[in-house]
């Protein structure tokens, strides 16, 4: 699951984990979230996410002899992607905790209902 996500969303996931560590620092620490990088990654994500999900779906259908098993793995993969996306863009996510500019970036993000809809469409047999 993680390897498949890293293949398609590696920089996005790495940024999220780095940003979470930065926000976990004590209040006086110098670490902060690079919102310019966040904006760039969010734009890249918006541009590629549907194609990446389609590729993962195609791979799950063709690479597993058992379609049910392939769809189970796809479900876990897409669920983990949704978790990562929510940790970054959700109301308690990294961007929301990064101040007004982070909140503004969240407003431009793919909506969670749209994201969930696409996931559900790919998981239908």
């Amino acid at each position: 699951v993680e390897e498949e996500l890293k293949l398609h969303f590696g920089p996005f996931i790495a940024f999220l984990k780095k940003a979470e560590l930065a926000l976990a620092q004590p209040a006086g620490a110098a670490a902060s979230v690079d919102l310019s990088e966040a904006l760039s990654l969010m734009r890249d994500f918006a541009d590629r996410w549907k194609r990446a999900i389609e590729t993962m779906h195609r791979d799950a259908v063709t690479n597993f002899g058992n379609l049910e098993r392939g769809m189970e793995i796809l479900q876990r993969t897409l669920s983990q992607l949704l978790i990562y996306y929510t940790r970054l863009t959700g109301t308690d996510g990294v961007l929301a905790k990064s101040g007004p500019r982070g909140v503004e970036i969240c407003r431009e993000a793919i909506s969670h209902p749209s994201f969930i809809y696409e996931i559900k469409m790919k998981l239908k047999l």
Side-chain angles (χ1 to χ4, degrees):
V1 170
E2 288 297 322
E3 289 303 315
E4 184 72 14
L5 288 175
K6 285 180 185 175
L7 176 66
H8 297 283
F9 301 103
F12 178 86
I13 295 167
F15 173 82
L16 169 64
K17 291 179 178 183
K18 181 175 72 173
E20 286 177 329
L21 285 174
L23 290 174
Q25 297 298 316
S32 65
V33 175
D34 182 348
L35 294 177
S36 295
E37 183 181 3
L39 181 59
S40 175
L41 287 167
M42 291 303 296
R43 286 179 176 160
D44 178 64
F45 187 92
D47 185 49
R48 298 181 324 99
W49 72 283
K50 283 186 182 181
R51 286 189 311 274
I53 289 174
E54 180 62 40
T55 299
M56 288 187 279
H57 177 263
R58 186 177 54 249
D59 290 348
V61 169
T62 59
N63 292 339
F64 291 92
N66 181 333
L67 179 61
E68 190 174 312
R69 178 74 176 139
M71 294 305 285
E72 177 187 320
I73 291 170
L74 178 64
Q75 179 176 7
R76 283 193 276 160
T77 303
L78 296 178
S79 294
Q80 184 61 44
L81 178 59
L82 178 60
I83 290 167
Y84 284 143
Y85 190 75
T86 302
R87 282 170 41 191
L88 186 66
T89 65
T91 55
D92 287 331
V94 166
L95 293 176
K97 292 177 181 176
S98 298
R101 187 157 178 244
V103 172
E104 185 63 31
I105 294 170
C106 284
R107 286 192 195 117
E108 296 177 23
I110 306 298
S111 73
H112 284 93
S114 294
F115 198 87
I116 292 168
Y117 174 80
E118 289 296 327
I119 289 173
K120 285 182 179 180
M121 296 309 297
K122 294 301 175 210
L123 294 176
K124 287 187 177 184
L125 287 175

